[in-house]
Amino acid sequence: MKPKPFSENLYDPVLLDATHEVLARRAQIDEEDVLALGRDYFALLKARTDTGADLTARFARWEEMESVHALLRGDREQISFVVPDSAGEVQARIAAALALADRWQRRSALRELAASVQQRTVSV
């Protein structure tokens, strides 16, 4: 498998394509050309990038649209799990807290464990 160029790890294809187009056939860039190249670059980005104006207008008019969560993150399912410690100490403390009959004692015991659980939680 051929490794991808380092630039593709940092920039999305729209940015890379606009950069390539603005700098194409230039072996050297003179200082007096930098401002014009910058303007050309950002003009290309504005033309190729969705600014969200359509979504904003639909939102302002209370029109039907996807949820903001779906727009920003997609409809991907997220799963969280706790990575066990080798001695099983955290799991034993969680089980003991859940076994408490009094709901307020149970809540207090679980709250004391929150930081330990958070440090061991992975979300994918």
Side-chain angles (χ1 to χ4, degrees):
M1 182 173 168
K2 182 180 175 187
K4 64 182 181 178
F6 182 70
S7 60
E8 290 180 15
N9 292 320
L10 302 175
Y11 304 105
D12 70 21
V14 173
L15 298 176
L16 290 172
D17 187 50
T19 303
H20 183 267
E21 191 170 325
V22 169
L23 298 178
R25 298 180 300 278
R26 291 183 170 268
Q28 176 179 322
I29 300 172
D30 296 323
E31 187 175 349
E32 60 267 11
D33 296 334
V34 171
L35 181 59
L37 287 172
R39 286 183 179 146
D40 291 346
Y41 173 76
F42 286 107
L44 282 173
L45 290 183
K46 185 176 181 181
R48 296 178 184 178
T49 304
D50 180 7
T51 62
D54 180 53
L55 289 173
T56 304
R58 286 194 321 212
F59 181 76
R61 291 188 299 264
W62 291 82
E63 293 178 1
E64 180 109 8
M65 59 185 282
E66 270 186 289
S67 73
V68 173
H69 182 273
L71 288 169
L72 295 176
R73 299 192 184 250
D75 287 330
R76 294 175 282 174
E77 181 181 4
Q78 181 174 351
I79 299 172
S80 298
F81 58 93
V82 179
V83 177
D85 60 310
S86 59
E89 180 183 333
V90 174
Q91 295 88 319
R93 290 176 58 199
I94 291 171
L98 290 172
L100 292 171
D102 182 82
R103 71 184 245 191
W104 298 109
Q105 288 178 341
R106 184 172 55 247
R107 181 177 175 172
S108 177
L110 289 170
R111 187 170 276 165
E112 288 177 21
L113 291 169
S116 298
V117 171
Q118 182 187 18
Q119 289 175 346
R120 301 183 162 287
T121 301
V122 177
S123 296
V124 292

